[in-house]
Amino acid sequence: MYDVIVIGGRCAGSPLAMLLAQLGHRVLVLDRSHFPSDRLSTHYVQPSGLARLRRWGLLDQLAASGCPPIREARWWFGETLVSGFAPEVDGIDMAYAPRRTVLDALLVRAARDRGVEVREGFTVRELLFDGDQVCGVRGRSAGGTDETIRATVVVGADGRHSMVARAVGAESYDERPAYTVVYYTYWQGLSAHRRNRNEVFIHEDTQIGVIPTHDDAYLIQAARPHSFAATYRTDIEGHYRQAIREAAPALDRELDGATRVSRFLGTAALQNYYRRPYGPGWALIGDAGFHKDPLTGQGISDAWRDAESLSAALHATLTGAEGWDQAMSEYERRRNADSAMMYDFTCEAASFEFDPMTRHLVQVLATSPEHANRFFGVIAGTVAPEDFFSPDSLLDMLGRLPEDTFADEGDLVG
Ligand SMILES: Cc1cc2nc3c(=O)[nH]c(=O)nc-3n(C[C@H](O)[C@H](O)[C@H](O)COP(=O)(O)OP(=O)(O)OC[C@H]3O[C@@H](n4cnc5c(N)ncnc54)[C@H](O)[C@@H]3O)c2cc1C
């Protein structure tokens, strides 16, 4: 009998399991994958996420993996460049974009090292119920044996298509449609000046992202509106290059002399939703409970933030310090409060429909390094969005524009 079974051992599951084991609980992670293995996901990890990795004693391992630190952001809104980087917080002045083969394996190893039992190649087929209370799982091991395993709590860290969420009928709320379709691949042979820089090009209804990663490679993604998905699929390479040609012509010319080192990966299944993350004997974390368009690169760091608060809530209930509903409703409240503004901002960015105020803000950010850095701090999770977007802050920023600005809507973006 385990205290907690965690289904899924990647960004959400392994850190949660590790933190629970450190608090003295008996934890089992089940994942049908074997590690190291890749995931359909780009992998920009925000400074706020790195601050957690450091707190958990894992940042040095990531730094030693050969992943280049990213210390500069350059976001092009049409012809307008906003550049800078998030203000340093807790000694973290960089981001990393580690391959998931490296990052997920590191997290699984850390969980094992700190006392978690991890079973790879184990597919959970169904949940066990005692009345309406979840009390375990049934599934098939890597060796093909069917097994029943019991636990006080079962956590679904099993991603967007969560089997746990389906089995318990977890209610979704604040759902928004999928806004984008994205494809990406890896390139080598780009100019060295890109090595420590994240560059984003937003041009009309296209977003291109260039992110340095392991092996002197660059992940380059091209996102288009969701309505373009069927057309995109007819010629992924052609439409990908066309998007880059239109949004970032100099990059496109550079790619002519570079080498593509992987196949294309991508998806249009990028729904935006919250799910109720708990019920009798079960909980959800990571994409299983909350998903938003990857355009702002929040998913991994959000999963780590929620691993801390869910482990605290489960510890409180498992030790009897708090009742289940009290502890778990606080977990849900904090998750939603911590993510609400970035959820809205991400959905706005992913819809490629910037309102006039955002367009004006871009002009301010382009000319004020201080405000640009604070903007990148919002994306990085190190500047509170409610501070940056507060009425006073907005008035201060918009007050910096020349008086005639509002007479000319301009042609900045979208
Ligand atoms: C195209 C794309 C780009 C993205 N880019 C970024 C980015 O740049 N930065 C960022 O922070 N986030 C990004 N994200 C989001 C990020 O990938 C997710 O938020 C993150 O992977 C969530 O981790 P997770 O552990 O919740 O789920 P997952 O990574 O999906 O892991 C779920 C695990 O559960 C296992 N599992 C599922 N069902 C079962 C079962 N029945 N039995 C056993 N095991 C099971 C799977 O094998 C898997 O290992 C992107 C996502 C996409 C799709």
Side-chain angles (χ1 to χ4, degrees):
M1 176 87 174
Y2 292 89
D3 295 323
V4 182
I5 292 175
V6 181
I7 306 173
R10 292 185 186 267
C11 289
S14 277
L16 171 69
M18 177 188 79
L19 295 170
L20 284 168
Q22 288 179 173
L23 290 165
H25 301 290
R26 187 161 181 238
V27 188
L28 172 67
V29 168
L30 300 171
D31 200 308
R32 64 182 170 215
S33 304
H34 292 269
F35 299 97
S37 56
D38 209 355
R39 195 81 189 132
L40 173 64
S41 169
T42 64
H43 33 79
Y44 189 92
V45 180
Q46 302 291 350
S48 58
L50 297 181
R52 289 200 163 78
L53 267 199
R54 196 173 68 170
R55 204 146 63 224
W56 302 341
L58 301 175
L59 185 58
D60 288 349
Q61 289 179 42
L62 181 60
S65 72
C67 195
I70 297 168
R71 291 200 162 89
E72 183 192 7
R74 286 165 67 88
W75 285 31
W76 294 90
F77 294 83
E79 300 293 315
T80 306
L81 173 63
V82 177
S83 65
F85 201 71
E88 179 179 322
V89 169
D90 296 338
I92 303 288
D93 62 354
M94 83 298 244
Y96 281 112
R99 291 295 302 256
R100 294 291 295 264
T101 43
V102 175
L103 180 65
D104 295 5
L106 185 157
L107 297 171
V108 170
R109 197 166 52 244
R112 271 204 179 104
D113 287 349
R114 296 177 195 191
V116 176
E117 186 181 341
V118 181
R119 294 183 61 182
E120 301 176 31
F122 189 106
T123 302
V124 177
R125 297 268 171 88
E126 57 181 319
L127 302 184
L128 295 181
F129 287 87
D130 181 2
D132 67 350
Q133 179 88 17
V134 174
C135 57
V137 303
R138 201 169 281 131
R140 183 161 292 182
S141 71
T145 312
D146 287 331
E147 291 183 47
T148 296
I149 313 174
R150 294 184 179 274
T152 308
V153 181
V154 174
V155 178
D158 50 347
R160 280 178 294 150
H161 309 292
S162 170
M163 185 280 279
V164 176
R166 229 178 16 255
V168 298
E171 172 206 346
S172 295
Y173 51 88
D174 202 358
E175 289 178 87
R176 314 206 187 158
Y179 295 108
T180 65
V181 50
V182 63
Y183 283 94
Y184 64 94
T185 186
Y186 296 87
W187 297 82
Q188 285 175 337
L190 268 65
S191 162
H193 73 262
R194 298 187 180 282
R195 206 60 205 133
N196 303 99
R197 170 192 293 176
N198 166 225
E199 199 156 24
V200 172
F201 302 86
I202 299 168
H203 171 76
E204 297 178 351
D205 59 2
T206 298
Q207 190 251 31
I208 307 297
V210 185
I211 309 174
T213 185
H214 291 104
D215 304 322
D216 290 325
Y218 295 83
L219 182 158
I220 302 184
Q221 68 179 50
R224 301 292 321 273
H226 189 262
S227 56
F228 191 69
T231 309
Y232 211 150
R233 273 194 292 270
T234 59
D235 175 11
I236 292 169
E237 181 166 13
H239 289 299
Y240 171 92
R241 283 302 293 267
Q242 186 184 349
I244 296 174
R245 199 155 42 247
E246 289 172 7
L251 173 66
D252 181 61
R253 286 191 294 278
E254 204 178 327
L255 291 186
D256 285 338
T259 308
R260 177 158 71 82
V261 292
S262 90
R263 66 196 174 107
F264 284 95
L265 295 163
T267 181
L270 295 168
Q271 285 76 14
N272 301 279
Y273 58 78
Y274 286 87
R275 290 189 184 128
R276 183 155 196 246
Y278 71 97
W282 61 268
L284 300 175
I285 187 169
D287 286 2
F290 168 46
H291 186 261
K292 62 265 154 222
D293 195 283
L295 219 68
T296 52
Q298 302 292 314
I300 296 167
S301 305
D302 282 357
W304 294 352
R305 177 198 65 214
D306 294 341
E308 286 190 344
S309 64
L310 180 56
S311 60
L314 290 177
H315 180 62
T317 67
L318 289 165
T319 55
E322 275 182 50
W324 174 261
D325 284 335
Q326 184 191 356
M328 298 303 281
S329 60
E330 176 58 12
Y331 162 58
E332 178 175 18
R333 191 198 64 74
R334 282 185 61 179
R335 179 198 68 173
N336 295 0
D338 288 346
S339 59
M341 288 193 88
M342 186 50 74
Y343 186 62
D344 285 341
F345 178 79
T346 298
C347 290
E348 181 183 344
S351 69
F352 297 110
E353 284 172 9
F354 295 94
D355 61 32
M357 192 178 75
T358 307
R359 292 162 183 252
H360 292 313
L361 270 182
V362 167
Q363 296 284 27
V364 176
L365 301 183
T367 54
S368 165
E370 178 204 334
H371 289 98
N373 289 347
R374 278 172 47 74
F375 167 72
F376 289 121
V378 172
I379 306 292
T382 56
V383 171
E386 48 276 24
D387 290 346
F388 183 82
F389 292 111
S390 73
D392 282 351
S393 162
L394 289 175
L395 275 176
D396 172 42
M397 287 190 278
L398 295 173
R400 288 164 187 259
L401 290 169
E403 265 180 27
D404 61 351
T405 303
F406 290 87
D408 172 14
E409 283 299 322
D411 187 25
L412 270 179
V413 285

